[in-house]
Amino acid sequence: MICYGAHVDSLALLLLLTPILVYPGYLVVLLAAATLARPRPTCVTAAPASISILICAHNEAARIGAKLETVVASAAHWPGRCEILVADDGSSDATAAIVEGFAPRGVHLIRLPRGGKAAALNRVVPTAQGEIVVMSDADPLFDAATLPALIAPFADPRVGAVAGAVETIRAGKRGRFAGSDILFRWYESSLRGAEDRLFGCISADGGLYAIRTALVPVVPASVTDDFWISTGAVAAGFRIAFAPDARVHEQSIAGDRQQFRRRVRITVRGLTGLWQRRALMNPAATGWYAVALVLHKVARRLAPLALVPLLPLSGILAFGGSPGWGALFWALVFAGLSGACLLGLVGYLTRLRLPRPLALGYGAVLHLAGLVAGVTLFALGRRYAQWTPDKTAA
């Protein structure tokens, strides 16, 4: 039997603790700090009177009609001036025709050649007439109170952008990953709520957010547009607020491969944006926001890499000579990681409909695997200047 020194156990323990501290650990610390923080004073400054709602769409015929119905209904609850703009990014289906059907209800269609979402945003935002631009993807559905709740935080002149809350609908065939998506959305909303109370949200979700029109930056083609645009407010010296009552509802993507590819692409584009926004990670410039940005966005993407060497290392410690109870502990770690890998392979290759506990675990494994693959591709120089989300079932 080969015996390994304490330094090997320490390395394995560090690898094990890394994702624990980055995921649940960061959330617990942030929630505790937010509980102790003083409530932010309520501002009485009047909210901006005019808004522009901007939706970019490419081949969204199956969803855009239902989306616009909810947007028009929510806009009716906004007392100020409101325009609704839909940028059709070279759709080859009936998206443009469906949008044109909403023209009598105040929806303006802007036809563009296919150039990607960043190009569409850069073309359309300068034409927006509102003091605030509301951004939303083509599928999340608005509540009637979504817009008033989203715009309310702008009463504080220090707020430059506002993140809304994205909730997942558990329904039918598309409910395969709904459980893990609901858990992820809860985690994100909890983080944003705590961050908002302490130093402002790190960024916003593309499902729903708003930003002062004057702060919208030009969007590079290779970054996640929601992160880039919302952090433009921070770069300009403003804060990103969180509006938990400004809700949109979206369905989960059903297909395993679609989920995995989406996570890989988002990871690559997210890291690209983080690198280009690295000036925000300077505590001398942005204070505690810089620390939170590293923990929330950088560490969370890198932490799963620790599990890759931990799998063989825990096996070595379990069966190669770790003394006493240490061998049992590392055997349990090895069994857990091996079981997670097996669950991921079986679920991905067979597409079996798993019971809810296993489905949650499978969704988490697929998410972490996508992060590892995305980080690896980013390190190898892969970039996505334009891509088309695949929302069909597998």
Side-chain angles (χ1 to χ4, degrees):
M1 181 179 292
I2 301 175
C3 292
Y4 297 91
H7 64 284
V8 178
D9 286 89
S10 298
L11 174 60
L13 187 61
L14 177 62
L15 293 173
L16 177 62
L17 288 176
T18 295
I20 295 174
L21 293 175
V22 168
Y23 292 110
Y26 174 58
L27 176 60
V28 169
V29 170
L30 210 61
L31 290 175
T35 301
L36 299 175
R38 295 179 181 177
R40 290 190 176 276
T42 302
C43 295
V44 296
T45 306
S50 60
I51 62 174
S52 297
I53 303 171
L54 175 54
I55 302 165
C56 293
H58 173 74
N59 288 346
E60 295 283 0
R63 289 164 285 271
I64 195 65
K67 167 74 173 193
L68 290 177
E69 287 287 353
T70 66
V71 171
V72 170
S74 186
H77 291 264
W78 179 244
R81 184 162 57 88
C82 174
E83 66 174 352
I84 303 173
L85 308 173
V86 177
D88 179 58
D89 183 32
S91 295
S92 57
D93 63 2
T95 297
I98 294 171
V99 175
E100 284 182 326
F102 284 84
R105 301 166 70 180
V107 177
H108 305 282
L109 172 67
I110 303 171
R111 293 178 180 267
L112 299 172
R114 177 65 169 152
K117 189 174 181 181
L121 289 168
N122 292 335
R123 286 278 300 275
V124 177
V125 169
T127 70
Q129 299 298 309
E131 300 168 78
I132 300 295
V133 178
V134 176
M135 306 280 193
S136 183
D137 293 333
D139 48 345
L141 305 178
F142 282 30
D143 283 339
T146 295
L147 288 175
L150 184 68
I151 304 302
F154 286 106
D156 185 344
R158 297 166 296 180
V159 170
V162 179
V166 182
E167 299 182 350
T168 299
I169 301 169
R170 187 192 297 275
K173 187 178 182 181
R174 288 184 174 272
R176 177 172 171 79
F177 291 102
S180 55
D181 283 349
I182 289 170
L183 182 61
F184 174 76
R185 294 300 187 190
W186 171 85
Y187 179 82
E188 280 290 293
S189 291
S190 298
L191 280 180
R192 287 196 171 103
E195 290 168 349
D196 178 36
R197 186 159 185 173
L198 294 169
F199 37 72
C201 297
I202 297 306
S203 63
D205 188 296
L208 179 68
Y209 66 103
I211 183 171
R212 298 184 190 273
T213 307
L215 301 180
V216 179
V218 174
V219 184
S222 58
V223 304
T224 47
D225 55 273
D226 49 2
F227 171 81
W228 186 263
I229 293 175
S230 60
T231 55
V234 180
F238 292 82
R239 186 171 66 88
I240 303 174
F242 178 54
D245 293 328
R247 301 185 184 94
V248 290
H249 309 272
E250 67 175 8
Q251 291 186 331
S252 176
I253 298 174
D256 308 59
R257 285 154 181 77
Q258 289 87 340
Q259 281 273 4
F260 180 74
R261 288 196 296 263
R262 177 175 179 267
R263 180 49 49 193
V264 170
R265 288 164 176 161
I266 288 176
T267 301
V268 172
R269 292 166 68 88
L271 288 172
T272 303
L274 282 163
W275 175 248
Q276 295 186 38
R277 285 283 194 215
R278 59 190 180 276
L280 298 181
M281 300 180 201
N282 178 9
T286 56
W288 283 105
Y289 174 91
V291 178
L293 177 59
V294 172
L295 292 173
H296 189 153
K297 291 295 185 180
V298 181
R300 198 164 77 180
R301 287 177 167 91
L302 299 181
L305 295 175
L307 300 177
V308 177
L310 181 61
L311 176 59
L313 193 57
S314 61
I316 291 172
L317 290 171
F319 306 110
S322 187
W325 288 101
L328 176 60
F329 173 78
W330 290 116
L332 292 173
V333 172
F334 179 74
L337 292 174
S338 299
C341 291
L342 181 61
L343 176 63
L345 285 173
V346 170
Y348 193 80
L349 296 176
T350 66
R351 308 187 200 183
L352 292 174
R353 192 165 189 85
L354 301 170
R356 183 170 295 181
L358 290 180
L360 283 172
Y362 174 52
V365 170
L366 203 63
H367 180 89
L368 294 175
L371 288 174
V372 171
V375 170
T376 303
L377 289 175
F378 173 79
L380 293 174
R382 181 72 165 94
R383 301 294 182 268
Y384 293 94
Q386 178 181 308
W387 61 286
T388 302
D390 185 355
K391 299 180 181 180
T392 58

